[in-house]
Amino acid sequence: MEKTWRWFGKKDKIELSTLRQIGVEGIVSALHDIPNGEIWNLEAINDYKNYIESHGLRWSVVESLPVSEAIKYGGEDRDSLIENYIISLENLGKAGITTVCYNFMPVLDWARTDLFHEWEDGSSSLYFDKAKFAYFEIHILQREGAENDYNSEILQKVEELKNTLTEKDNNDLIDSVIVKTQGFVNGNIKEGDDNPVAIFKNLLALYDGIDKNQLRLNMKYFLEKIMPVCEKWNIRMCVHPDDPPFSLLGLPRIVTNEEDIDWVLKAVDNPHNGLTFCAGSLSANLQNNVPKLAQKFAHRTKFVHLRSTNVFENGDFIEAHHLGGRGKLIEVIRVFEKENPDLPMRIDHGRLLTEDVDKGYNPGYSFLGRMLALGQIEGVMAAVQSELQKN
């Protein structure tokens, strides 16, 4: 598999020359400065591509070309937004960039309650605390009916948090859930916005009456519209699993498990409609057998994210060591090296190690932690390749 790295452009503290020196081959990136729904013009795409190539690397994967909210909830302007999306895809195809990772998660992209959960060795990583998220829904968002989505044990913890969390704790939670993790991904909310909670509640209201079936139909509509341009330019669309892979905020999530993925791929049964296989996201659902899913969907997978999680009995989960946890990356790598070895893969998230906070740019994207994991994964890939050659 091709070794890639998610890079956030010229503002990223991690330089492309450094990435090349540590063995990275391809860059996973996007035109982050272009607002959602606007066209990526060919000149901007080529300028970015040429800049990456000037450092001896290639722009392997677009992550992401965001799908606007109105496309997801089926707003009045969805057709014009889809048309802009099609033009952007065509321009990417003309530039020779043909793998596009995207997601269809309503409002909230990946969600964590703690961006710097400390481990015993002093490193830190992302953490999802189910009770804290429930507290966020019930007492900060004050979402109607939110308490009905949680069991009595979680609700008891929510009451305890209500009596112990300070105003600063509340602001930190808002920052973690809907500001820092969202602004650089989809632009719905960004740092510096006044009253991000009110903005977020307005976004949630757009999905009133949208259930799982309707969200699926809206996704099918989108995919059917873009497939002709994907076929023309051989663009591989690869949907990212929902993160976390279960319903949040009363909103449906439709890429969470085997049945969901199977539906997406069959609803628009076209080889250009594919999957980003994120072992970390999928491992956060206790129902998912990650290596089994890799085996089943290997030939519809276009891109691989290598990370893993540990899930606790109460539903909390944390980023695991890349060679540990429920992601079972050694088995996953064995599947893809055998079944679909030419895929781009990237090391995702991981622990922040000593001084990593000064070297990273966005939450969860360490430098030293990912570099360490890259070395470990390279070793696994070499061993698996040797094993396959012997067989």
Side-chain angles (χ1 to χ4, degrees), residues 143-205:
R143 180 174 72 82
E144 185 178 353
E147 62 277 3
N148 297 326
D149 291 344
Y150 298 97
N151 61 34
S152 58
E153 182 180 350
I154 293 291
L155 292 176
Q156 182 179 343
K157 290 181 179 178
V158 167
E159 287 306 302
E160 294 170 3
L161 289 170
K162 182 182 176 182
N163 296 325
T164 57
L165 293 184
T166 65
E167 183 177 356
K168 180 183 181 304
D169 294 329
N170 284 349
N171 289 332
D172 287 346
L173 190 56
I174 292 168
D175 208 36
S176 295
V177 175
I178 62 175
V179 180
K180 278 194 166 63
T181 56
Q182 304 306 307
F184 77 93
V185 176
N186 57 29
N188 288 332
I189 298 174
K190 59 185 182 299
E191 293 192 58
D193 281 340
D194 293 331
N195 202 346
V197 171
I199 297 172
F200 192 73
K201 290 175 78 168
N202 288 336
L203 288 168
L204 287 178

Side-chain angles (χ1 to χ4, degrees), residues 1 3 10 14 38 47 52 58 66 81 92 106 125 132 166 174 176 186 206 279 302 304 337 343 347 357 387:
M1 289 186 282
K3 294 170 288 186
K10 296 176 184 179
I14 305 169
E38 294 191 10
D47 284 349
I52 292 170
R58 79 181 195 99
L81 288 166
L92 285 166
S125 65
K132 257 191 185 179
T166 65
I174 292 168
S176 295
N186 57 29
L206 296 171
K302 314 298 181 183
V304 178
E337 284 290 350
L343 295 174
I347 302 298
V357 175
E387 172 188 301

